[in-house]
Amino acid sequence: MEAPALSLKNVRKNFGPVEIIRGVDLDIARGERHAIIGPNGAGKTTLFNLISGRFPISSGSIALNGTRIDQLPPQNISRLGLSRSFQITSIFHRMTVFENIRCALLWSSGYRYSFWSPLWTQKALNRQAEQLLDELNLASRRDLQAGLLSYAEQRALEIGITIAGGATVVLLDEPTAGMSHSETEYAQALIRRVTEGKTLLMVEHDMGVVFGLADRISVVVYGQVIASGKPEDIRNDRAVKEAYLGALTE
Amino acid sequence: MNEAAAKPPKRSRQLWLWAALILIGVAMPWVFYDWHTARQSGFVLTMMSQMGMMVIFSLSYNMLMGQSGLLSFGHAVLFGLGGYCTVHFLEAAGHHSFPVPLELIPLCAGLTGLGFGIVYGYIAATQRATAFAMITLGLGELTTTAGIMFHHFFGGEGGISTDRTNASSLFGLSYGASVQVYYLILAWTVLAALGMLFLTKTPLGAMANATRDNFERARFMGYDPRRVRFLQFALSGFFAGIGGGLYAITYEIVTYDAVSGALSANVVLMTYIGGATFFYGPILGAILITLLQSGLSLLSNAWLIYVGVLFIGMVTFAPSGLAGIIGAHGPLARAGRLGRLLVPYLRLSIPAFATLIGFSGAVELTSFLTIGEAQGKHLVLFGETIQVWTPQPWIVTAILLIGGGIWLRRECRAFARIWDDLNADLKDRSL
Amino acid sequence: MEIVLNPLLNGFVYGMLLFMLASGLTLIFSMMGVLNFAHAGIYMIGAYVAFDMSRLIGFWAALIVAPLVCAAIGAGIEVWGLRRTHHNGHIAELLFTFGLFFIIERGVQMVWGMLPVPYRVPALLDFPLFRLYGVDFPAYRAFMLLIAGGMLLAIRLLLTRTRVGLIIQASLTHPQMVSSLGHNVPRVFTLVFAGGCYLAGLAGVIGGNYQVTEPAMAASLGPIVFVVVVFGGLGSLSGCFVSSIVIGMVQTFAVSIDGSLADLLGPIVAWIGTDNLAGEILSIPVSRVGPLLPYAMMVGILMFRPRGLMGTRDT
Ligand SMILES: Nc1ncnc2c1ncn2[C@@H]1O[C@H](COP(=O)(O)OP(=O)(O)O)[C@@H](O)[C@H]1O
Ligand SMILES: [Mg+2]
């Protein structure tokens, strides 16, 4: 059998004396769209930080397509085809929108640390960046400093940077947080389009987006996965209702 | 002041500007040609040569400061070591054991700069931000302290000297005349500037900007920020080394000054005042500071105070430097509305001038009270000797400084209002 | 014994002087994130002002007034300068203080001239306190120790017994949290900055006549103080104390050792010869390498342990 795209085994993390992630087991099959839901402070972002190598784990193991990644620095994990977005927008503020996207393409296009290939002659690279800008609906903002974009545009750029490098496993942390209804709908369509054929792991609070996109859902509460399954199962799960969904519908 | 909000200027116009700048460089010695003695002005040549080196040096510094967001307080080390090595190269050339023509010796200096850049960069690139600044400060102090200790390489306090005519020439030139050296410097300045401009447009240059803005995100895109810092540092060492090589060739002596903290500080000031966020900013800064150094230092004992105050003013009010101030006028200029600022600028200039006079008056009076006194100099203004021990000049100065300052503040506010209105208007139209 | 005890005592005096400078700097750096380049400049101003005042009103009055002048200057710098550059980030603040140092240095040269000024130890304290293995220990150094020790005690009491002190302590380890405590943060910053400058000024008053009062005194001491702060670690006053003493000792001890590597590696050096670079490096006496040591220590610690000796977070 093919190894799962992402596999977490008994992952734990503590900051000082406090254990924030308390033994998470999670398998995500290739091509699956998996949503993680849970109350604020449950440890969802921390989980992403552990998977992507931002923080070291305290114990357990994480594997990407069957390879252990829990001891690797973020850049090496990224090179293995895992990419993530940030809940708090993390872009290159003083560079133009186009440059932001192009930077995100560089490594996967094999440029590495090249200081001998002039970027303006790299037709294929530039075309790819333009195309992505079109897809993100940011073409009209091409030469604007990224820091001057509107919030929703910055979120779109955040997603763009995340998927630009052609990662096969994509982690999105609350991609629609703070968006209006119409913006959310647009973002949902965008995410569906750009993650076609990829493995998606997504933290999301908007239940419309979650149930619209996800094949499977895991519920994280207080650093543990309390339920994991198909959307309809989760919707009907008593424990989940009590712990989380109930709080929302009250 | 959102200079980046507007479209960038056309490439062709930029090309013209560059060409004009080079042309000025080529023509300058002949503008100040003395037909009686059939010689170029030595003063102008020295100044322009100095400008060339400093342009290279501050551009190389900006590869760290502006492009990578790294603040180095020991950049002169790379410059100076390039210079010291060049002296040794030239000495070797004198013994016929270094068969490289003088035209290419700056390249060798660059390579030694690269070598030192690799060593120092390996150490410094482990950190960023304040810790990086501290490491470079430490490395700078280490090197300068060592510089006094090792006689063999550094020649102790007196430095080491050489003769540039030791080396051969590709074009059969003797390089005895400083105008020949000047053109060599000019050529290398253009080459080095083009090289550094090229580097900004490569993947490494792009990632340097990216790690400057957000080093963490760069990691999640597959890049190791430490590697990026290291490469930028090493490459900037290459160009700093070229500058140092030209320094050694010009002055034929390299002393402790060339690696000193004072020069490291100077390059910070030059680059920042010129404008670190623009590629051409450091060029402006190097030219301005060298002009001040050559001109003002003759007139005033206290010229460095003016530079320091200018620097602080820039840090506080114009963080993108002279280039930023110029660049901010771009959108208005392209819309053909720069004329609207003429009157506001005139209004601004009067109190600004008064304040400036008041300030420099205060500085000069103080300086004549102390240093001037010790040197037996007198403050002469419009042919009259000013008595610095009498209250009148002080009162006039105080009135100019304080009154001008208050007036200037008001005018600045008014100016800011007009500026904002004009730019808001421009934005409305473009939408 | 005699080669140990005398340097030990002098190293301790020098270390205490360093601590007076470094404690203020580390408080400012830990709380505000600004590495204050002008700090050694304030120290120099303290020395020069004390020199002028000791001629006008006497040393003892200068001991009181000069540090206060420095504190006032510090408060002015914080309120009219640093606070305005704050929104441009730490690098801008660093550059601001850097420019300030530049101006202070030139300004001092302009006002007091390039040559050292004859700032002397007060006559009252100008006698040897005791003799140790044939070397006099001046009473003034004991006085310096007294002042520095008193200062240390005062800081401790201030930090542990007063409200402001507790806020400062909390913010040393968690600078982001201060603002959420709901205190008047700008006022605390001004207070800390002025306090740091007071200490620097006081160090200037008692250090100016211990060393030499000249325009280069700031540039030569400034980097050492940075070394102390970085070596001790951010957010830790005890780390700062330990590293002050260590650096003070290292510097005085190195100066008092006459040997060189060549003495240990005699035959090898004889084989290499001393007229080339390698031989020269080996035969440099340790006393001359002394000034290099603090910087080597700083670079090393920043490379391998950026949080310093006892720091709570990375530099
Ligand atoms: N770097 C850190 N140091 C200490 N505690 C942290 C850190 N990052 C997160 N935490 C704590 O971990 C808990 C989970 O946070 P987070 O993962 O952001 O939650 P979520 O994303 O589910 O809302 C919170 O209580 C937070 O305070
Ligand atoms: Mg979160």
Side-chain angles (χ1 to χ4, degrees):
Chain A
M1 206 191 100
E2 188 182 54
L6 204 55
S7 168
L8 281 68
K9 295 244 173 338
N10 195 21
V11 170
R12 289 171 186 276
K13 174 69 182 176
N14 34 292
F15 292 110
V18 208
E19 196 167 48
I20 298 292
I21 300 295
R22 306 185 303 150
V24 168
D25 289 286
L26 196 62
D27 274 330
I28 296 165
R30 293 191 188 176
E32 184 178 311
R33 294 167 193 280
H34 196 114
I36 292 182
I37 60 175
N40 274 326
K44 306 179 296 294
T45 300
T46 305
L47 206 54
F48 271 24
N49 286 338
L50 297 178
I51 297 172
S52 61
R54 194 178 188 196
F55 301 148
I57 58 175
S58 300
S59 69
S61 75
I62 304 174
L64 176 69
N65 298 322
T67 337
R68 280 284 289 266
I69 56 168
D70 48 59
Q71 301 299 322
L72 297 179
Q75 57 268 32
N76 293 31
I77 296 175
S78 157
R79 290 170 202 168
L80 290 173
L82 183 143
S83 176
R84 67 165 293 184
S85 77
F86 289 78
Q87 183 177 353
I88 299 162
T89 309
S90 176
I91 54 179
F92 307 111
H93 287 90
R94 281 163 59 189
M95 299 166 74
T96 67
V97 174
F98 176 74
E99 287 168 339
N100 266 271
I101 292 292
R102 192 167 62 180
C103 273
L105 284 165
L106 283 176
W107 188 275
S108 60
S109 313
Y111 288 98
R112 304 175 61 107
Y113 300 95
S114 159
F115 49 88
W116 49 85
S117 30
L119 284 171
W120 75 86
T121 62
Q122 313 302 315
K123 295 263 158 47
L125 176 74
N126 291 328
R127 200 168 331 109
Q128 211 182 335
E130 305 272 8
Q131 240 164 30
L132 195 54
L133 280 185
D134 274 337
E135 256 179 89
L136 297 170
N137 224 2
L138 287 174
S140 63
R141 297 283 186 261
R142 187 185 186 280
D143 294 315
L144 195 67
Q145 261 189 4
L148 301 174
L149 290 175
S150 73
Y151 176 76
E153 287 169 336
Q154 289 194 354
R155 291 307 291 173
L157 182 59
E158 171 82 41
I159 296 175
I161 293 175
T162 309
I163 53 100
T168 53
V169 178
V170 175
L171 276 53
L172 299 180
D173 197 349
E174 304 202 16
T176 69
M179 286 189 180
S180 71
H181 189 66
S182 61
E183 286 166 346
T184 303
E185 264 177 16
Y186 180 79
Q188 185 180 345
L190 176 70
I191 293 169
R192 180 181 294 283
R193 223 175 331 121
V194 295
T195 58
E196 202 68 60
K198 298 181 175 181
T199 310
L200 174 68
L201 181 61
M202 175 177 67
V203 171
E204 184 55 64
H205 278 308
D206 188 312
M207 287 304 135
V209 178
V210 170
F211 288 110
L213 275 175
D215 307 327
R216 252 167 33 104
I217 299 174
S218 292
V219 186
V220 176
V221 177
Y222 196 31
Q224 283 175 321
V225 177
I226 60 158
S228 197
K230 293 213 164 59
E232 52 273 22
D233 299 340
I234 294 296
R235 209 193 297 259
N236 300 325
D237 191 302
R238 282 248 332 261
V240 175
K241 270 190 187 154
E242 274 167 25
Y244 184 56
L245 292 179
L248 285 184
T249 47
E250 259 167 27
Chain B
M1 292 196 196
N2 278 324
E3 55 266 8
K7 270 178 274 164
K10 285 204 192 78
R11 169 151 316 150
S12 62
R13 189 160 353 163
Q14 280 186 338
L15 273 178
W16 275 113
L17 265 169
W18 287 107
L21 206 63
I22 296 173
L23 211 68
I24 291 174
V26 172
M28 213 53 175
W30 307 101
V31 174
F32 292 93
Y33 192 76
D34 185 340
W35 296 100
H36 293 291
T37 56
R39 294 182 64 169
Q40 290 85 7
S41 151
F43 176 77
V44 171
L45 275 182
T46 312
M47 188 177 80
M48 297 286 292
S49 300
Q50 177 78 13
M51 260 178 209
M53 299 165 215
M54 287 302 127
V55 164
I56 299 180
F57 186 36
S58 56
L59 278 174
S60 82
Y61 184 69
N62 204 35
M63 288 180 66
L64 301 177
M65 189 194 218
Q67 286 154 27
S68 318
L70 296 170
L71 201 56
S72 164
F73 287 111
H75 203 56
V77 163
L78 299 167
F79 179 88
L81 286 175
Y84 276 110
C85 288
T86 303
V87 172
H88 290 293
F89 291 152
L90 285 171
E91 284 301 287
H95 302 119
H96 304 289
S97 51
F98 192 76
V100 177
L102 190 73
E103 288 85 358
L104 295 183
I105 283 188
L107 183 66
C108 301
L111 291 175
T112 56
L114 179 67
F116 287 113
I118 288 172
V119 176
Y120 287 113
Y122 180 78
I123 299 170
T126 48
Q127 300 295 336
R128 48 179 284 280
T130 308
F132 176 90
M134 287 299 96
I135 293 198
T136 53
L137 183 80
L139 289 174
E141 293 287 333
L142 264 179
T143 312
T144 44
T145 319
I148 303 176
M149 269 163 32
F150 299 115
H151 267 266
H152 257 93
F153 188 76
F154 296 99
E157 307 259 350
I160 48 176
S161 56
T162 185
D163 184 352
R164 62 174 170 252
T165 55
N166 280 347
S168 59
S169 163
L170 281 179
F171 312 112
L173 295 169
S174 71
Y175 289 103
S178 46
V179 67
Q180 292 174 347
V181 179
Y182 169 67
Y183 281 117
L184 180 67
I185 291 176
L186 184 64
W188 272 105
T189 306
V190 173
L191 278 180
L194 285 177
M196 285 184 266
L197 183 61
F198 176 84
L199 282 180
T200 61
K201 309 209 179 285
T202 62
L204 179 67
M207 287 318 294
N209 289 342
T211 49
R212 169 199 66 196
D213 284 3
N214 189 344
F215 78 101
E216 186 145 50
R217 185 72 203 228
R219 304 184 74 185
F220 293 98
M221 296 185 338
Y223 279 88
D224 182 356
R226 180 173 168 188
R227 207 44 187 279
V228 174
R229 288 195 290 269
F230 167 69
L231 288 169
Q232 281 289 111
F233 195 100
L235 287 170
S236 102
F238 175 71
F239 291 103
I242 293 180
L246 293 171
Y247 177 93
I249 289 173
T250 311
Y251 299 113
E252 298 182 305
I253 179 167
V254 177
T255 62
Y256 167 81
D257 287 341
V259 286
S260 68
L263 187 60
S264 291
N266 250 0
V267 77
V268 178
L269 302 193
M270 271 192 295
T271 309
Y272 196 90
I273 289 174
T277 46
F278 292 77
F279 178 79
Y280 67 93
I283 302 181
L284 289 184
I287 291 176
L288 177 76
I289 299 295
T290 312
L291 270 177
L292 288 179
Q293 192 174 7
S294 320
L296 211 55
S297 68
L298 296 179
L299 295 175
S300 166
N301 275 322
W303 75 278
L304 279 170
I305 296 231
Y306 298 114
V307 175
V309 170
L310 181 63
F311 175 70
I312 290 226
M314 287 288 186
V315 173
T316 318
F317 300 111
S320 41
L322 285 177
I325 294 174
I326 294 171
H329 291 78
L332 285 177
R334 259 167 266 131
R337 306 178 117 206
L338 217 47
R340 300 270 192 105
L341 284 175
L342 191 66
V343 177
Y345 263 123
L346 277 177
R347 287 189 53 177
L348 203 59
S349 66
I350 301 166
F353 189 66
T355 316
L356 187 69
I357 296 285
F359 174 68
S360 59
V363 172
E364 291 308 315
L365 283 173
T366 317
S367 136
F368 271 91
L369 213 58
T370 52
I371 304 177
E373 185 84 349
Q375 295 174 345
K377 281 190 195 165
H378 296 286
L379 180 56
V380 181
L381 211 61
F382 306 119
E384 287 201 38
T385 306
I386 311 255
Q387 298 301 329
V388 294
W389 288 103
T390 54
Q392 289 93 330
W394 291 91
I395 292 170
V396 173
T397 302
I399 290 172
L400 279 172
L401 184 59
I402 296 167
I406 294 169
W407 186 10
L408 181 63
R409 245 178 103 121
R410 287 187 43 188
E411 285 298 331
C412 276
R413 289 215 190 95
F415 182 85
R417 230 173 293 126
I418 296 171
W419 174 273
D420 289 344
D421 286 349
L422 272 175
N423 276 291
D425 193 33
L426 208 62
K427 214 170 179 181
D428 291 344
R429 285 198 185 188
S430 66
L431 285 179
Chain C
M1 202 60 199
E2 55 264 48
I3 60 161
V4 176
L5 217 53
N6 272 314
L8 201 70
L9 218 50
N10 287 328
F12 192 65
V13 173
Y14 182 55
M16 286 303 262
L17 185 69
L18 284 180
F19 178 68
M20 290 184 71
L21 275 165
S23 54
L25 190 63
T26 207
L27 277 180
I28 294 168
F29 190 19
S30 307
M31 269 186 90
M32 304 165 66
V34 197
L35 196 54
N36 180 18
F37 258 80
H39 207 68
I42 302 287
Y43 162 77
M44 174 157 73
I45 291 181
Y48 272 100
V49 169
F51 162 67
D52 268 354
M53 285 194 169
S54 62
R55 291 201 299 189
L56 289 176
I57 52 179
F59 176 81
W60 302 105
L63 186 64
I64 309 286
V65 181
L68 289 175
V69 172
C70 291
I73 293 175
I77 291 172
E78 208 280 326
V79 172
W80 289 308
L82 270 184
R83 200 173 289 176
R84 291 172 187 221
T85 42
H86 184 71
H87 59 96
N88 288 332
H90 288 329
I91 291 292
E93 290 174 302
L94 184 70
L95 284 170
F96 180 85
T97 60
F98 175 70
L100 213 58
F101 175 67
F102 195 82
I103 294 175
I104 291 176
E105 210 180 20
R106 270 54 189 196
V108 164
Q109 285 176 7
M110 205 178 81
V111 176
W112 283 284
M114 308 284 284
L115 299 173
V117 293
Y119 177 33
R120 300 228 169 75
V121 171
L124 187 64
L125 291 170
D126 200 8
F127 64 93
L129 194 64
F130 54 84
R131 272 178 92 80
L132 202 67
Y133 297 106
V135 183
D136 286 335
F137 187 77
Y140 189 69
R141 292 196 186 165
F143 170 72
M144 285 174 70
L145 282 182
L146 200 72
I147 295 275
M151 231 42 254
L152 188 61
L153 206 69
I155 295 178
R156 252 205 91 74
L157 287 180
L158 227 87
L159 284 185
T160 50
R161 297 287 160 81
T162 65
R163 229 176 112 73
V164 171
L166 291 177
I167 300 170
I168 292 172
Q169 266 196 324
S171 61
L172 283 182
T173 40
H174 299 91
Q176 324 76 319
M177 303 288 282
V178 209
S179 47
S180 55
L181 289 175
H183 294 282
N184 188 344
V185 180
R187 172 117 37 96
V188 176
F189 277 9
T190 312
L191 217 64
V192 167
F193 205 89
C197 289
Y198 177 89
L199 286 177
L202 188 63
V205 179
I206 63 170
N209 44 9
Y210 161 69
Q211 295 184 310
V212 186
T213 302
E214 56 176 347
M217 69 192 286
S220 64
L221 198 63
I224 302 279
V225 181
F226 283 161
V227 174
V228 170
V229 167
V230 169
F231 198 76
L234 273 193
S236 160
L237 269 176
S238 19
C240 179
F241 180 74
V242 173
S243 86
S244 300
I245 302 298
V246 167
I247 305 270
M249 298 279 179
V250 163
Q251 281 209 300
T252 32
F253 264 99
V255 173
S256 67
I257 298 174
D258 274 330
S260 68
L261 271 182
D263 298 341
L264 286 177
L265 311 168
I268 303 178
V269 176
W271 174 67
I272 300 175
T274 49
D275 56 346
N276 54 26
L277 191 60
E280 194 178 359
I281 291 177
L282 287 179
S283 52
I284 292 228
V286 174
S287 57
R288 294 191 61 198
V289 182
L292 289 178
L293 287 177
Y295 304 116
M297 283 161 72
M298 171 159 85
V299 171
I301 202 137
L302 280 172
M303 262 184 91
F304 300 112
R305 193 184 153 83
R307 62 181 43 195
L309 222 49
M310 302 185 184
T312 50
R313 56 207 153 88
D314 286 359
T315 298

